[in-house]
């Protein structure tokens, strides 16, 4: 095994068990490890610090796996991590009302670069590091043993693969190709998922709890669901007695699937309006038409992919939320989200305060949304926390 020597004074984050080591913290690589190899990290005095995946193409040159020198990072180590992660989701799936969730969430589950989502009897995986790519045969074997899925599909078309020098993949890894529509259940609501063609790995299961919480407020209400995708917030609101729901998304496939999902759940399509459009444009149209809503949901894609994009993103979030506020009846609720890891909850509150001022509204924060239990945040890896939201009463 190749030894990698840490620069003097760079121990702190490693000792705190942060799983990333940037290339700038490396003094020397003693040998020529291949990308994805497991190497041993030593400090400048030669003391053992951790084992990790090596990759010289990535800014994160080492993804640390294990801090105990006597614990060998072998096949069995990976099998155990997979098993522990899968077992920790069993309660969530126990009563059968939900059969889709994230089974493995990368660093948070001690498997940097591996994402595994369950869609009923199918699994969709994303492989984002060369280290995980090397060990995939073992991981697939363990997933098959534990879960006996009908099929495992590789959905590794994430741009982050490029940072590790890996290409794009969209293929069956084991078992059958998933059908065009895989039916899943989330909190008793059915969704048709197109694993191969859908966004991300097909479904945003990170909003499971938040959809439910928003829907608790929707009885007898008129709801506007912006960035609806296949209807997570829409379906929950209709199911919970909303009198009218308008959904807006720019993706034709998402809107088509959303309409099918309304039928799938025997919901009253006459209470629903689907609009395929740019949200920013549509919010202006609705305002010109004098439309008002009791609940507005804003769940945009990631506006700030990095810290450097934060200023620009803050302005975009502010404009979006200002428009959302202007479409609410007095006392109405704005359920607003940011999935930008670079924007923390305090910064997001600040953005909403600006939006409120610009809109001439008073805003009360009445609830803070976060990511659900199958997207854990590891204490030593705060970067894993990305999804946040606020339920605001707008006066
Ligand atoms: N709320 C959804 C998830 C939203 S993901 C759920 O509960 O499942 C973000 C969505 O925003 C995607 O469906 C994407 O198609 C859509 N989108 C991105 N930019 C957009 C824009 N400018 N206008 C409208 N929709 C947009």
């Amino acid at each position: 095994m190749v030894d990698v020597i840490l620069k003097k004074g760079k121990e702190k984050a490693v000792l705190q068990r942060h799983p990333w080591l940037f290339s700038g913290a490396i003094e020397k690589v003693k040998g020529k490890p291949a990308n994805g190899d497991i190497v041993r990290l030593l400090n400048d005095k030669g003391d053992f610090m951790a084992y990790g995946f090596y990759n010289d193409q990535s800014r994160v040159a080492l993804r640390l796996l294990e801090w105990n020198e006597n614990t060998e990072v072998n096949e069995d180590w990976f099998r155990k991590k997979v098993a522990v992660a899968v077992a920790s989701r069993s309660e969530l799936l126990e009563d059968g009302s939900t059969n889709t969730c994230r089974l493995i969430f990368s660093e948070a589950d001690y498997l940097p670069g591996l994402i595994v989502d369950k869609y009923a009897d199918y699994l969709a995986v994303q492989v984002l590091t060369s280290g995980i790519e090397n060990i995939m045969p073992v991981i697939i074997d363990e997933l098959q043993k534990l879960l006996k899925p009908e099929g495992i599909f590789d959905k590794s078309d994430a741009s982050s693969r490029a940072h590790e020098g890996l290409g794009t993949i969209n293929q069956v890894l084991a078992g059958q190709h998933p059908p065009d529509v895989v039916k899943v259940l989330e909190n008793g609501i059915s969704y048709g998922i197109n694993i191969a063609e859908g966004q991300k790995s097909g479904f945003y299961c990170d909003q499971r709890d938040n959809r439910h919480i928003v829907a608790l407020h929707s009885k007898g209400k008129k709801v506007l669901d912006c960035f609806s995708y296949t209807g997570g917030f829409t379906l929950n609101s209709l199911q919970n007695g909303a009198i009218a729901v308008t959904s807006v998304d720019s993706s034709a496939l998402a809107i088509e699937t959303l309409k099918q999902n309304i039928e799938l759940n025997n919901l009253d399509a006459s209470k629903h309006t689907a609009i395929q459009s740019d949200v920013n444009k549509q919010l202006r149209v609705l305002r010109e038409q004098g439309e008002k809503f009791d609940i507005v949901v804003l769940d945009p894609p990631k506006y700030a992919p990095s810290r450097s994009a934060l200023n620009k993103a803050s302005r975009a979030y502010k404009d979006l939320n200002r428009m959302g506020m202007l479409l609410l009846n007095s006392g109405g609720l704005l359920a607003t989200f940011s999935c930008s890891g670079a924007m923390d909850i305090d910064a997001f509150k600040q953005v909403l305060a600006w939006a409120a001022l610009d809109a001439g509204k008073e805003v009360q924060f009445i609830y803070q949304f976060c990511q659900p239990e199958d997207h854990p945040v590891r204490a030593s890896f705060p970067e894993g926390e990305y999804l946040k939201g606020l339920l605001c009463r707008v006066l």
Side-chain angles (χ1 to χ4, degrees):
M1 189 180 289
V2 165
D3 286 346
V4 172
I5 313 298
L6 194 64
K7 272 189 188 156
K8 200 173 170 179
K10 295 285 183 191
E11 280 107 330
K12 194 171 166 202
V14 181
L15 291 170
Q16 288 173 344
R17 303 205 163 197
H18 195 285
W20 289 350
L21 189 82
F22 290 97
S23 51
I26 292 175
E27 180 68 45
K28 191 162 53 190
V29 180
K30 288 187 157 179
K32 283 209 176 328
N35 287 335
D37 279 0
I38 294 171
V39 297
R40 187 162 44 194
L41 181 68
L42 309 177
N43 68 10
D44 61 303
K45 296 184 203 74
D47 305 321
F48 173 85
M49 300 221 65
Y51 297 110
F53 286 140
Y54 178 80
N55 192 314
D56 67 4
Q57 300 236 330
S58 172
R59 250 177 9 110
V60 185
L62 249 65
R63 306 210 176 236
L64 303 181
L65 300 162
E66 176 59 60
W67 284 258
N68 183 344
E69 185 170 14
N70 300 321
T71 304
E72 206 187 321
V73 184
N74 52 18
E75 261 192 47
D76 203 41
W77 187 96
F78 286 99
R79 286 185 191 275
K80 275 191 193 138
K81 294 293 185 224
V82 169
V84 167
V86 168
S88 73
R89 273 65 171 183
S90 58
E91 228 171 85
L92 179 63
L93 303 167
E94 203 171 347
D95 74 1
S97 66
T98 295
N99 64 11
T100 179
C101 73
R102 180 148 291 181
L103 292 172
I104 299 179
F105 183 38
S106 203
E107 280 90 351
D109 285 304
Y110 309 95
L111 292 164
L114 178 64
I115 290 174
V116 180
D117 291 323
K118 173 179 163 73
Y119 294 110
D121 298 327
Y122 288 87
L123 301 180
V125 305
Q126 296 178 62
V127 179
L128 308 174
T129 56
S130 49
I132 289 294
E133 180 126 302
N134 285 349
I135 198 77
M136 270 316 275
V138 173
I139 285 167
I140 291 168
D141 184 62
E142 189 61 25
L143 288 170
Q144 283 180 308
K145 269 194 195 142
L146 293 170
L147 297 155
K148 303 183 178 51
E150 294 280 327
I152 305 181
F153 193 77
D154 192 338
K155 197 69 215 286
S156 300
D157 55 355
S159 58
S160 46
R161 267 174 75 85
H163 301 314
E164 294 252 331
L166 300 168
T168 294
I169 298 183
N170 214 329
Q171 67 180 24
V172 176
L173 291 178
Q176 297 171 25
H177 192 289
D180 286 350
V181 179
V182 175
K183 276 193 205 157
V184 303
L185 269 179
E186 180 187 89
N187 288 328
I189 295 178
S190 302
Y191 296 81
I193 313 270
N194 186 328
I195 296 179
E197 305 287 329
Q199 296 176 16
K200 291 278 181 67
S201 79
F203 188 55
Y204 295 92
C205 60
D206 55 359
Q207 288 286 28
R208 179 190 316 109
D209 296 347
N210 302 333
R211 291 168 181 145
H212 176 69
I213 292 163
V214 169
L216 293 176
H217 296 270
S218 67
K219 191 160 195 269
K221 301 288 170 58
K222 205 175 149 197
V223 179
L224 175 64
D225 179 9
C226 298
F227 308 95
S228 63
Y229 192 47
T230 54
F233 288 97
T234 295
L235 299 170
N236 278 268
S237 300
L238 285 170
Q239 183 91 316
N240 272 281
I243 47 168
V245 180
T246 301
S247 323
V248 184
D249 199 285
S250 55
S251 153
L253 179 61
I255 290 288
E256 191 47 45
T257 311
L258 164 49
K259 287 181 186 164
Q260 287 161 10
N261 285 342
I262 289 197
E263 271 176 44
L264 201 59
N265 290 282
N266 296 317
L267 291 165
D268 184 351
S270 71
K271 292 183 178 156
H272 182 243
T273 309
I275 303 175
Q276 188 206 334
S277 175
D278 177 83
V279 163
N280 296 295
K281 215 162 78 192
Q282 194 58 35
L283 291 180
R284 281 174 178 77
V285 171
L286 291 168
R287 188 155 152 74
E288 277 158 22
Q289 292 170 343
E291 288 277 353
K292 290 278 181 183
F293 299 87
D294 304 307
I295 300 180
V296 170
V297 179
L298 299 174
D299 185 20
K302 185 161 46 176
Y303 283 175
S306 65
R307 291 209 142 266
S308 58
L310 207 49
N311 277 342
K312 192 169 165 230
S314 297
R315 283 195 294 278
Y317 281 119
K318 190 202 76 176
D319 288 343
L320 176 68
N321 280 280
R322 182 181 65 87
M323 284 307 291
M325 288 174 189
L326 289 172
L327 286 172
L328 280 166
N329 290 314
S330 184
L333 297 178
L334 177 71
T336 181
F337 297 90
S338 162
C339 59
S340 301
M343 173 168 284
D344 63 23
I345 185 75
D346 290 333
F348 195 46
K349 283 181 178 167
Q350 185 63 60
V351 161
L352 283 152
W354 289 334
L357 267 184
D358 272 14
K361 302 283 182 188
E362 272 300 322
V363 163
Q364 296 169 325
F365 301 137
I366 59 175
Y367 187 80
Q368 268 183 35
F369 300 104
C370 59
Q371 58 205 64
E373 64 182 277
D374 52 334
H375 293 66
V377 181
R378 176 169 154 192
S380 55
F381 184 58
E383 290 83 349
E385 185 169 8
Y386 67 98
L387 179 62
K388 69 219 58 90
L390 290 159
L391 186 61
C392 310
R393 185 175 285 122
V394 179
L395 302 159

